[in-house]
Amino acid sequence: MKFDADIVIAGAGPSGLMVGCETALGGVSTVVLEKRDGPALTRAGTLAPRVMEIFASRGIIDTFMARAFELHPDPRTPEGIWAGLSSIHYGPLETDYPYILMFPQIETERLLTERFRALGGEIRLRSEVTGFEQDEGGVTARVRVAGSEEEQTIRAAWLVGCDGARSFVRKRLGIGLVGSTFSERWLILDLAKTFN
């Protein structure tokens, strides 16, 4: 069976890009499909200790740290909130990263995109998965490319759904989203300081 890629990933957020980096690192041909035309404005503004440990295990933490210190005088904070929970103190953790790192999602996506492409991965922006069929040999995904009237198809051994909380792939497979809706609203801003 001829494949366009071994693995197709729906979604180029941090999760999809990290999965793509892992598969490309293993020598697997990987295509990431993303309906947006580039990185999202920030939906998350920090990296947790476990994320930094994973980045360290892949030899990329120094890149993230260097960029974090370009953005903030000291981006590390020993306490923070996560998922609306009360403040968590990270100091007692047995880790090289007993803090959260102030780091906007748009930067995480940018750096992971650079790594994924350096590993030979392909990203197709403005390409939304609109359907898929699985058979004994693999999966065929239908893709709508923005600005095009016709759907395209891409054939792969595997399709990975990393397309967010409203995931088309997850819903199509009948996998429920565990959790509840927050009663609070949060506002995260991407700001840049300019000098005259």
Side-chain angles (χ1 to χ4, degrees):
M1 183 73 61
K2 183 172 183 343
F3 293 127
D4 300 301
D6 295 316
I7 294 179
V8 170
I9 299 170
S15 296
L17 290 167
M18 193 63 196
V19 171
C21 287
E22 291 295 287
T23 57
L25 186 63
V28 177
S29 65
T30 306
V31 173
V32 173
L33 303 173
E34 173 55 56
K35 67 181 179 181
R36 298 172 294 158
D37 61 1
L41 292 176
T42 295
R43 291 183 181 143
T46 62
L47 297 179
R50 184 64 187 130
V51 173
M52 290 182 278
E53 290 172 351
I54 292 168
F55 287 174
S57 75
R58 291 299 182 244
I60 59 175
I61 190 62
D62 290 346
T63 302
F64 283 81
M65 285 291 184
R67 181 63 179 141
F69 276 91
E70 288 175 2
L71 296 170
H72 303 281
D74 188 350
R76 301 165 297 182
T77 181
E79 289 188 69
I81 58 169
W82 180 78
L85 300 173
S86 298
S87 187
I88 299 171
H89 186 67
Y90 294 95
L93 295 179
E94 292 182 13
T95 177
D96 290 337
Y97 311 97
Y99 50 83
I100 58 172
L101 191 70
M102 306 308 286
F103 201 76
Q105 179 176 332
I106 195 169
E107 291 289 335
T108 300
E109 290 184 17
R110 185 180 63 78
L111 293 178
L112 288 176
T113 295
E114 289 174 5
R115 176 169 172 77
F116 177 60
R117 287 183 168 144
L119 291 168
E122 178 187 352
I123 298 178
R124 297 182 188 176
L125 298 176
R126 302 179 54 178
S127 300
E128 179 179 7
V129 175
T130 57
F132 56 90
E133 289 81 34
Q134 184 175 353
D135 55 48
E136 291 179 2
V139 62
T140 301
R142 293 189 307 278
V143 181
R144 182 184 314 122
V145 178
S148 173
E149 299 281 326
E150 297 179 14
E151 284 189 329
Q152 301 175 359
T153 61
I154 183 168
R155 180 83 177 150
W158 301 93
L159 170 65
V160 181
C162 295
D163 47 342
R166 297 178 193 89
S167 170
F168 170 80
V169 174
R170 176 182 54 76
K171 289 177 184 175
R172 173 81 163 64
L173 291 172
I175 301 170
L177 178 63
V178 178
S180 59
T181 304
F182 291 117
S183 58
E184 298 179 24
R185 293 187 179 261
W186 297 81
L187 180 63
I188 299 176
L189 302 173
D190 288 303
L191 302 173
K193 187 174 183 179
T194 57
F195 299 92
N196 292 330

